[in-house]
Amino acid sequence: MMKNNALAESIAVLDSILYIDGKFSKGKGSRLPVLNPATSEVIGHIAAATTDEIDAAVSAARHAFASWSKLVPKTRAIALHRLGDLIAADALNMAMIMTAEQGKPVNEAKGEILKLAEACHFYAEEATRVHGEIIPNDQQGFQSLVVREPIGVVAAITPWNYPAELVGWKLCASLAAGCSIVIKPAELTPFTALAIAQKCHAAGIPAGVVNVLTGKGSQVGQALVEHPQVDKIAFTGSSAVGLHIQQSCPQVKRLSLELGGNCPMIVTASADLDAAVKGAARRSFRNCGQICIAINRIYVHRAIYEEFVTQLAAAADALSVDNGLENPAADLGAMASAEPLDKTRTHLQDALVKGARLVAGGKAPEGIQYAKGHFFRPTVIADCKHSMQVMSEETFGPLVGVAPFDDLDEAISYANDTPYGLAAYCYAQNLTEIHRVSVGLDYGNVAINNVDAGIMNAAYGGRKQSGVGYEHGREELLEYFNFKHIRLHHGVEN
Ligand code: NAD
């Protein structure tokens, strides 16, 4: 039984519902439990959307697209601003729903909800700034216009690590562009998406423009991928599922794939050591390292290596781990499920067997209150080799590997020696080093002397197996448009 009655009631309202064509109703399909990862308590259920319900949602979205896409952008912008205001006003409640299903501490979850509200306002404004181009022609009497038209029905398929933002970016950009959307959130974190749907409803977004279907990815997600009336798939998740979607899509349709990472950080001898340690601790362990842009591996110049390792271990040891509902200000909450925790333990064990040195963490926090949850202390391992899993695969947990380097080119080459290309970090104060690293890193996002690689108004996307397409910025909005070239022979000779 959940201790917080108001939260239990909020979740009870969302239990087993789908949002189709402007109506919330209990799903007809089989039920899957949703657990609080801090206690393993069942907090509610989702209904696996049936084929009829999937068809109904897509057909509602298709129908709504016809009128939503024809509205003047200002009207769509007003609706998005209203949505942002409603979300911000209820941020704490929405944050608690997220913490109950995902595990991150309430304060951190609230920050995510407020960033979703910011995305609503950003894309509301971008909606009114969509324009085309007039292209010079080689012949007199012709004019070419390139205009942008919304793609149509979008299926958004999202993971569990950022249950609000990763739904929200797709939702806001789709709506701003004039598309309609069917959202399939992760099985672990459905209630945040349904709570967002409640806000869309309250904001007066017309029936069918936004729909939410729950259920397993391999069934409901796959059905959306294969649905002939879905024009675009906006997917965030693992590289393996992203590739599967690309390969199994039976028609040509637009895809954006925001996938996994294995993100390096380089710390040169000229770095501000304190700032580098602070940045490393934040980006390795925030959200328990369950971030696609989490720092997995750190290459430190040998001259400052031991000092860096000592300080990073102390910074990790100083972080608090706790039940995120009971201690909203904890640094780390529970991990979202047993799966990322198992992978963290596997990567740790692999590194230790291959000779790494454990300098912080390495175990669950002690205490009966942690016994049933998926908790793990922030963990630092030193003297890592490139052959270790932590240095070459995505851990998606609170574990970071550190290795020394002597030559900057060697560090850049290790950093790039991965199938992934999402985000990379560097701390350095020497301008030549900064330039070499910025140019040399083969990544979609490079943060120098900071660890916040994504901001709302700059394009964010991965390279190689980290994906195709962009979120954030004007570039994300363009992902929801088709371009149309209208070549007009008006016959007027200048
Ligand atoms: P996942 O790939 O297992 O699942 C993501 C979503 O895909 C879920 O909703 C799932 O139900 C659905 N799905 C699963 N199989 C499907 C199928 N056959 N067809 C359609 N949908 C299907 O990923 P996850 O474990 O939920 O999330 C963690 C991964 O997400 C990590 O690899 C992480 O790096 C990545 N991620 C990337 C970004 C980014 O911006 N690049 C952001 C966050 C997370």
Side-chain angles (χ1 to χ4, degrees), residues 157-162 166 169 184-187 215-222 225 235-239 241-242 244-245 258-261 291-292 339 394 396 422 460 466 471:
I157 302 177
T158 54
W160 44 261
N161 59 335
Y162 282 85
L166 296 173
W169 300 341
K184 206 302 282 174
E187 296 87 314
K216 286 193 174 159
S218 54
Q219 292 159 4
V220 182
Q222 188 70 36
V225 169
F235 173 81
T236 300
S238 59
S239 295
V241 173
H244 170 80
I245 286 176
E258 299 291 340
L259 309 177
I291 316 186
C292 51
E339 204 180 310
E394 181 179 52
F396 228 57
L422 190 53
Y460 166 81
S466 291
E471 294 201 301

